[in-house]
Amino acid sequence: MKASVAGVVLAAGASRRLGQPKQLVMLEGETLLARTVRLAREAGAAPVLVVVGAQAELICAAVPADRATVVMNGEWEQGIASSIRAGVNALDATASGVLISACDQPRLSAAHLRGLIETLAAQCEPCIVASTYAGVRGIPAVFPREAFADLLALRGDKGARALLMQPPCPLIALPFEGGEVDIDRPDDLAELQ
């Protein structure tokens, strides 16, 4: 199956627990948001869409315009599912799949994202390719077009985890060492630095 996989970076949250926009936290000379966009592009995702909501003007200014397209989520306060819907709704008809990622996983690599995309491309039938870490399935994950309706049906602040626990099609899990490390609280940021 030839996969043209688009990237959707979820960056609409308010980062309330962190007390500052996690999208703009600096890591090795670039913001977490710019880093996630770069990694998605290096992995082969195209186009890359960044879903923004809270502090949209500030976050939009940090999106590398030559590398990603901004998608506004006016319903971001309803939870992460609204951002997934906004991103999937913005995809064009040529995308055979979507790589969904967040910008708060500092151990993320282009190699891992490329592995997700290449695993999908190697399949004869539609399947989901998800990351596994700390005993759970999670994002980043690649969903085939056949699962877009399931993504669009998500509601609330649960994200895609429900689909990964009870997938609508076969699921392949790829280990993501360090995937459980994310930036949610000031302590997480302190440990990262």
Side-chain angles (χ1 to χ4, degrees), residues 3-97:
S4 59
V5 174
V8 170
V9 178
L10 305 175
S15 306
R16 287 183 186 96
R17 291 178 289 175
L18 185 61
Q20 63 177 305
K22 67 174 76 175
Q23 303 90 325
L24 305 181
V25 167
M26 296 299 290
L27 178 64
E28 298 173 357
E30 64 186 337
T31 64
L32 288 175
L33 177 56
R35 180 177 183 279
T36 306
V37 168
R38 175 179 58 80
L39 295 176
R41 289 187 50 97
E42 287 176 5
V48 174
L49 309 177
V50 176
V51 181
V52 302
Q55 302 185 44
E57 190 173 318
L58 190 61
I59 305 304
C60 284
V63 175
D66 61 332
R67 300 182 144 216
T69 302
V70 171
V71 175
M72 295 298 296
N73 176 11
E75 300 177 344
W76 66 271
E77 291 180 274
Q78 294 179 13
I80 195 169
S82 68
S83 290
I84 292 170
R85 291 193 310 270
V88 171
N89 276 325
L91 296 176
D92 67 28
T94 64
S96 60

Side-chain angles (χ1 to χ4, degrees), residues 81-82 84-86 88-89 147-156 159 162-163:
S82 68
I84 292 170
R85 291 193 310 270
V88 171
N89 276 325
F148 285 10
D150 298 285
L151 291 168
L152 292 171
L154 294 171
R155 295 292 180 266
L163 288 182

Side-chain angles (χ1 to χ4, degrees), residues 44-190:
V48 174
L49 309 177
V50 176
V51 181
V52 302
Q55 302 185 44
E57 190 173 318
L58 190 61
I59 305 304
C60 284
V63 175
D66 61 332
R67 300 182 144 216
T69 302
V70 171
V71 175
M72 295 298 296
N73 176 11
E75 300 177 344
W76 66 271
E77 291 180 274
Q78 294 179 13
I80 195 169
S82 68
S83 290
I84 292 170
R85 291 193 310 270
V88 171
N89 276 325
L91 296 176
D92 67 28
T94 64
S96 60
V98 60
L99 167 67
I100 297 178
S101 58
C103 63
D104 66 350
Q105 292 176 303
R107 304 289 184 253
L108 189 59
S109 69
H112 180 70
L113 296 179
R114 189 177 309 110
L116 295 170
I117 292 170
E118 288 176 352
T119 299
L120 175 70
Q123 305 310 306
C124 296
E125 299 294 328
C127 71
I128 295 169
V129 187
S131 300
T132 58
Y133 41 86
V136 299
R137 298 173 183 163
I139 62 171
V142 180
F143 296 84
R145 176 166 285 285
E146 290 78 0
F148 285 10
D150 298 285
L151 291 168
L152 292 171
L154 294 171
R155 295 292 180 266
D157 203 26
K158 298 290 189 232
R161 186 150 291 157
L163 288 182
L164 300 179
M165 300 317 293
Q166 294 185 326
C169 57
L171 183 140
I172 299 171
L174 291 186
F176 172 15
E177 190 171 328
E180 70 279 3
V181 178
D182 62 9
I183 309 296
D184 281 331
R185 304 176 188 281
D187 291 353
D188 301 331
L189 190 53

